[in-house]
Amino acid sequence: MIDEKAIEEHIRGILAALGDDPEREGLIDTPKRVAKMYTEIFAGMQYTNHDIAEMFGKVFDEVRVSGNNVVVMKDIELFSYCEHHLALMYDMKATVAYIPKGKVIGLSKIARICDMVGRRLQLQERIGCDIADIISEITGTEDIAVILEGYHSCVTTRGIQKTNTKTVTVERRGKFLEDAALQLYLR
């Protein structure tokens, strides 16, 4: 469970450490607002991949699918926060593809999985791996690909400050590793 009171106390301390007065008019409610924001944006930290699979695991297993079907969702918007700097990963988009094995997951569930996985402190590479693990647990398929592209404020606004640098990560499993024709779906 996220401890909002502890977050409030720490934010007050950070404000003071930055040399500002946490009791001044503009900052007096900032610790409470930040605690509520953190509860929302880090909601995924309260759940394991298995928990998320159970939350969004509704499948349609009486759907007739041939061995040639590929399900692809593109441009799923999400965000996350880098675990190294607590910096925002933004303008992120996911492409999730899988080959059904007798059952399919609702399309809105794929987007919800991406959203919930993003709401954790982590690395972009892990987001793709976690999404693939959850989709695999729900659908029973190992034939999955997850592509993520986005900007990291730890690169764009601090350190090297390369404002147009986009990071792309690709998690491919099963037939997506072996079959070159499947790569066409991922573009």
Side-chain angles (χ1 to χ4, degrees):
M1 200 65 163
I2 294 175
D3 186 344
E4 287 187 19
K5 289 296 179 197
I7 293 170
E8 286 181 39
E9 290 174 31
H10 290 290
I11 294 300
R12 272 189 207 83
I14 290 170
L15 292 170
L18 290 170
D20 213 327
D21 176 8
E23 298 302 318
R24 75 173 169 83
E25 184 179 348
L27 293 179
I28 193 103
D29 290 328
T30 296
K32 186 176 286 193
R33 286 190 296 265
V34 170
K36 288 190 182 305
M37 179 184 75
Y38 280 6
T39 297
E40 181 180 333
I41 64 176
F42 295 124
M45 294 180 69
Q46 299 177 78
Y47 305 105
T48 66
N49 287 350
H50 177 71
D51 294 337
I52 295 170
E54 287 188 341
M55 276 194 283
F56 303 121
K58 173 89 170 110
V59 293
F60 303 97
D61 54 7
E62 298 191 19
V63 175
R64 198 181 107 229
V65 292
S66 71
N68 297 320
N69 286 24
V70 178
V71 176
V72 182
M73 276 191 77
K74 292 186 176 190
D75 297 327
I76 303 168
E77 295 178 350
L78 68 148
F79 67 86
S80 194
Y81 281 80
C82 164
E83 66 187 27
H84 296 152
H85 301 98
L86 300 182
L88 180 64
M89 291 184 260
Y90 60 97
D91 288 345
M92 291 185 79
K93 293 195 180 192
T95 296
V96 177
Y98 73 98
I99 300 173
K101 285 194 175 172
K103 54 187 171 182
V104 296
I105 184 174
L107 297 177
S108 70
K109 302 302 188 236
I110 294 172
R112 291 179 192 280
I113 290 165
C114 291
D115 185 57
M116 189 59 76
V117 169
R119 292 173 183 264
R120 298 172 170 168
L121 288 173
Q122 62 188 331
L123 302 174
Q124 183 171 323
E125 297 86 344
R126 192 177 311 126
I127 296 171
C129 184
D130 287 349
I131 291 168
D133 287 349
I134 293 165
I135 297 291
S136 180
E137 180 177 338
I138 292 170
T139 64
T141 187
E142 290 298 320
D143 303 319
I144 301 169
V146 179
I147 300 172
L148 293 162
E149 26 183 298
Y151 298 92
H152 294 234
S153 58
C154 56
V155 173
T156 62
T157 63
R158 59 151 304 278
I160 193 72
Q161 297 181 4
K162 297 299 178 193
T163 58
N164 290 315
T165 304
K166 184 187 288 188
T167 300
V168 178
T169 56
V170 180
E171 176 76 21
R172 293 182 304 141
R173 299 177 181 183
K175 292 180 182 175
F176 286 95
L177 284 170
E178 307 155 3
D179 189 340
L182 289 173
Q183 301 307 310
L184 298 174
Y185 295 108
L186 305 178
R187 293 185 186 167

